[in-house]
Amino acid sequence: MKNIAFIINPISGSKETQSAKRKLPKLIMQLLDSEQWLPNIAYTEYAGHATELARQYARMGFDAVVAVGGDGTVNEVARGLRDTQTAMGILPMGSGNGFARHLNIPIRVNKAIEMLNHSEPISVDYGLANGRLFVSTCGTGFDALIADHFAGSSKRGFATYLQNILKDAFSYSPQTYHIVGDGLDVTHKAFLITFANANQWGYEALIAPKASIQDGKMDIMMMSSRAILGSASLALRLFAGSIDNSHFMDTIRAREVTLERENEAPFHLDGDPVPMEKDIHIKIVADGLKVLAEKRF
């Protein structure tokens, strides 16, 4: 028997998702393989609580801890499990669910629970931005501005995300950025810059289609300051997985860089806005996190 804990964020996602979480303990007991797993269920009560709980379960020697929520909950649980032997599972019950989608974890919660029964721990990379962890992406520019606005919205979901994009896209003023390190010395006036460990922001918006969480590197996606001129084609490419082929997008790959900005501005980690210094040191930690996934994802 293996010990597995489920850390449930009761307030992430839509009202429908929050309602579904109330039925989740019963569903876990029904679908989780009782001959393989011995489950424990805990609920978060405040920001950062998932990290504390995950760290506690890792110290207790649990085989796995499952983040139940969105990318913010996944980020918190990963912070508690990084550089340990305890694997992170995911039941994607948030909004974008970017990291779960990269791992091909089903969005339907019953399927995601069943997947735990035939998953195995796999070593993957995580990133640090001025020492703060991200598992999928971090970045600055327009996407960070939208993350900031989205966090303050009373409604969640893709429609709210899209409304914020349409409201701000034509008034946004790009900055000039300087990226140095790992043999790079790049200056770029950009609409946004995304540092991608995984391939997407969420909602299947593939900002870095070729990014791998097992190669020890990040894909740095720099969208041109003139991107608004090609916004329709960029949107299509974003969801088709071909945005890296657009002439409005430049891609470089690195293990460790410093981003120098003209001014302090919004910055996000896995879609959540965070206060960050003007200059940001970003690096990938290879094989620093174990996740429960199917062998091929």
Side-chain angles (χ1 to χ4, degrees):
M1 293 288 289
K2 294 179 288 186
N3 288 303
I4 186 169
F6 293 80
I7 297 178
I8 301 174
N9 179 350
I11 63 171
S12 65
S14 65
K15 289 183 179 180
E16 292 79 8
T17 301
Q18 292 170 22
S19 176
K21 288 176 187 173
R22 291 192 284 272
K23 305 172 185 176
L24 192 57
K26 183 178 179 181
L27 196 61
I28 290 170
M29 295 304 178
Q30 288 176 342
L31 299 177
L32 196 67
D33 182 359
S34 61
E35 294 185 0
Q36 179 183 176
W37 297 110
L38 184 63
N40 184 286
I41 295 174
Y43 291 86
T44 61
E45 299 175 3
Y46 47 83
H49 194 198
T51 301
E52 296 173 12
L53 290 169
R55 190 174 290 130
Q56 178 182 340
Y57 285 123
R59 287 172 180 160
M60 292 168 63
F62 268 60
D63 298 279
V65 175
V66 181
V68 184
D71 288 323
T73 306
V74 169
N75 181 289
E76 283 199 21
V77 171
R79 276 185 261 161
L81 299 182
R82 66 175 182 170
D83 307 317
T84 74
Q85 293 304 305
T86 301
M88 179 175 69
I90 304 173
L91 297 186
M93 300 186 73
S95 298
N97 301 309
F99 197 60
R101 292 178 190 272
H102 182 105
L103 291 168
N104 290 332
I105 294 173
I107 298 302
R108 290 179 59 188
V109 67
N110 59 325
K111 297 296 183 183
I113 295 171
E114 290 171 351
M115 182 176 170
L116 293 172
N117 295 329
H118 52 85
S119 296
E120 60 183 87
I122 295 170
S123 294
V124 301
D125 310 333
Y126 67 83
L128 293 173
N130 280 359
R132 302 183 66 168
L133 179 142
F134 65 95
V135 291
S136 291
T137 66
C138 69
T140 191
F142 184 70
D143 61 330
L145 177 69
I146 296 304
D148 191 45
H149 290 177
F150 187 72
S153 299
S154 57
K155 295 182 179 180
R156 310 301 285 175
F158 184 71
T160 301
Y161 195 77
L162 184 60
Q163 286 172 5
N164 282 309
I165 291 174
L166 295 174
K167 183 177 69 174
D168 295 315
F170 292 93
S171 60
Y172 179 72
S173 297
Q175 270 198 56
T176 297
Y177 303 93
H178 189 205
I179 297 173
V180 293
D182 215 1
L184 300 170
D185 190 339
V186 177
T187 300
H188 202 295
K189 188 172 184 179
F191 191 67
L192 61 84
I193 298 184
T194 294
F195 300 84
N197 181 42
N199 62 9
Q200 64 177 273
W201 287 323
Y203 299 109
E204 296 292 2
L206 299 170
I207 185 60
K210 295 183 177 65
S212 167
I213 56 176
Q214 293 183 300
D215 63 355
K217 294 184 178 182
M218 58 186 144
D219 286 23
I220 305 172
M221 312 301 294
M222 301 176 292
M223 188 177 287
S224 166
S225 59
R226 297 168 51 251
I228 199 66
L229 299 175
S231 55
S233 64
L234 282 169
L236 290 172
R237 286 182 177 275
L238 182 64
F239 290 96
S242 61
I243 197 168
D244 52 333
N245 294 327
S246 170
H247 65 273
F248 290 107
M249 184 71 73
D250 290 317
T251 305
I252 52 180
R253 306 185 74 242
R255 299 179 188 276
E256 185 171 355
V257 297
T258 296
L259 173 69
E260 299 172 355
R261 303 187 288 176
E262 293 178 299
N263 305 292
E264 289 188 15
F267 193 87
H268 78 87
L269 297 169
D270 292 329
D272 283 343
V274 294
M276 195 67 75
E277 298 81 0
K278 188 173 73 169
D279 295 345
I280 306 167
H281 179 247
I282 303 164
K283 69 176 182 178
I284 295 296
V285 179
D287 297 328
L289 180 68
K290 293 187 183 300
V291 297
L292 287 179
E294 292 184 325
K295 191 168 184 179
R296 299 177 63 85
F297 60 85

